[in-house]
Amino acid sequence: MFSSITTIRVRYGETDQMGYLYYGNYGLYYEVGRAEAIRELGFSYRELEEQGVIMPVAELNVKYLRPAYYDDLITVKTILKELPKSSRIQFHSELYNEKGELLNVGVTTLVFLDVKTKQKAGLPEALKERLEPFFK
């Protein structure tokens, strides 16, 4: 298993009239967590694209447990529970408040595509090499 932690402060413009983090913004927090997790592995999305792979989102599942509020410092835990064996990769996200309370969970499924043909591709070899040690 591979996991990564990042923090994000809820900004005023991300909240609704009640001061809650707007429900549609949780996916953006997941994306920050994914980008930072990939960066921890020594890559960026840009570098993967330069290597000929894009990763569009194919599916997003979200479960809201408690609200996050304006100015809360949110911990985003991003987890890869398994090494991808096909053209799909699933990132599990958990969001916690400063008290350590679980606020939200989600799963984002992305697909590896060849940047030129837009056809499914496998896990890039360089990324696979970085991930394998976490799954032994």
Side-chain angles (χ1 to χ4, degrees):
M1 181 172 79
F2 170 77
S3 66
S4 171
I5 301 287
T6 192
T7 56
I8 304 170
R9 186 161 306 273
V10 178
R11 295 166 291 230
Y12 184 79
E14 296 171 330
T15 63
D16 60 21
Q17 188 174 6
M18 299 174 287
Y20 290 11
L21 176 61
Y22 177 67
Y23 79 94
N25 286 328
Y26 283 84
L28 294 173
Y29 282 37
Y30 297 169
E31 182 178 2
V32 170
R34 285 193 314 272
E36 292 306 314
I38 289 172
R39 193 175 306 283
E40 280 184 32
L41 291 167
F43 295 96
S44 69
Y45 271 109
R46 176 179 293 156
E47 289 169 319
L48 289 172
E49 290 173 358
E50 289 170 355
Q51 293 177 18
V53 176
I54 55 175
M55 298 167 57
V57 173
E59 188 175 334
L60 174 63
N61 293 292
V62 181
K63 185 173 183 179
Y64 304 94
L65 306 170
R66 328 182 144 74
Y69 300 96
Y70 166 65
D71 208 36
D72 282 355
L73 187 61
I74 304 301
T75 297
V76 179
K77 184 175 184 181
T78 304
I79 307 158
L80 284 172
K81 294 184 177 181
E82 60 185 19
L83 184 66
K85 295 176 178 60
S86 67
S87 61
R88 301 170 77 79
I89 186 169
Q90 284 194 325
F91 290 89
H92 297 259
S93 300
E94 300 173 355
L95 276 60
Y96 296 88
N97 63 17
E98 291 174 88
K99 297 177 189 174
E101 298 171 318
L102 182 62
L103 305 176
N104 179 284
V105 294
V107 179
T108 309
T109 304
L110 293 88
V111 179
F112 298 110
L113 296 181
D114 180 280
V115 72
K116 292 178 184 166
T117 67
K118 306 298 188 271
Q119 297 299 307
K120 289 182 182 179
L123 175 65
E125 192 59 37
L127 184 55
K128 181 180 178 184
E129 289 173 7
R130 298 281 173 90
L131 284 171
E132 281 181 324
F134 296 98
F135 295 94
K136 291 188 176 189

